[in-house]
Amino acid sequence: PNGQTLLRGSGNDTIRIDLTGLPVHKNIIVRFDLYVIGGWLGNNPGGDPSEWKFGMEGISPLLDTSFCNDPACRQAYPGSLPGGDFSGRSGATGVNELGYQNGGIPIPDSRYALKYKFPHTSEELHLLFSSLNLPTDASWGLDNVIIEIDSGILQVFLPFILR
């Protein structure tokens, strides 16, 4: 509604990004904005948490956490599941920016600016963004996804002074 364009997921969804033919490198840096939209359950002590994961295919996720848009609710982020225990919206860089409504009632949202750097040398990269156990009124979105290739070479330029 506010003109934001997102790649959206919901329920038990996975969004996959596949890159091939990458040049020689030592690390990958992935930056993105994650939008948590609607009634996420957070850690949900009475049942399964509203879980969100990010990582590479075939290895343990770099992030496995829960979120909640109610500050009175408990979520794992900025920690991990199990064990993370923070107020809802902890670590959010923006709240209620999207303008979604249901019958005139605002639908809450939170934005998280995330950045991960990890070792990677393959010509192929398979990234997974996924959710589990979301209520029917909950969804998520990705925006501003940036994938950087880090060759591990540091260049330093110093001034040359003759005396």
Side-chain angles (χ1 to χ4, degrees):
N2 288 345
Q4 187 75 22
T5 302
L6 304 174
L7 185 57
R8 292 219 23 211
S10 61
N12 293 334
D13 253 351
T14 297
I15 293 175
R16 179 183 175 112
I17 296 177
D18 294 312
L19 300 175
T20 59
L22 297 176
V24 175
H25 60 282
K26 294 187 186 240
N27 299 294
I28 295 289
I29 302 166
V30 180
R31 303 169 202 258
F32 57 93
D33 287 337
L34 170 65
Y35 285 88
V36 172
I37 305 163
W40 286 58
L41 300 174
N43 290 346
N44 192 17
D48 293 325
S50 289
E51 188 171 2
W52 196 85
K53 298 180 183 186
F54 164 71
M56 288 190 309
E57 180 181 62
I59 66 167
S60 295
L62 297 167
L63 177 64
D64 184 352
T65 196
S66 65
F67 292 99
C68 186
N69 279 322
D70 179 354
C73 178
R74 305 304 289 178
Q75 68 181 34
Y77 188 83
S80 298
L81 284 170
D85 186 32
F86 300 89
S87 298
R89 292 187 161 165
S90 289
T93 52
V95 296
N96 298 330
E97 298 176 333
L98 297 177
Y100 288 115
Q101 293 191 3
N102 183 5
I105 299 170
I107 297 173
D109 63 76
S110 301
R111 178 174 47 88
Y112 297 85
L114 303 176
K115 176 184 175 184
Y116 293 90
K117 180 178 182 177
F118 51 91
H120 184 272
T121 57
S122 173
E123 291 182 352
E124 295 184 1
L125 176 65
H126 306 285
L127 298 175
L128 302 174
F129 307 81
S130 61
S131 58
L132 295 166
N133 307 317
L134 298 190
T136 55
D137 69 334
S139 64
W140 54 279
L142 297 175
D143 194 17
N144 301 314
V145 178
I146 299 171
I147 301 170
E148 298 176 45
I149 297 170
D150 177 6
S151 66
I153 298 172
L154 176 64
Q155 295 180 342
V156 177
F157 297 95
L158 300 173
F160 184 72
I161 301 172
L162 290 175
R163 290 186 182 201

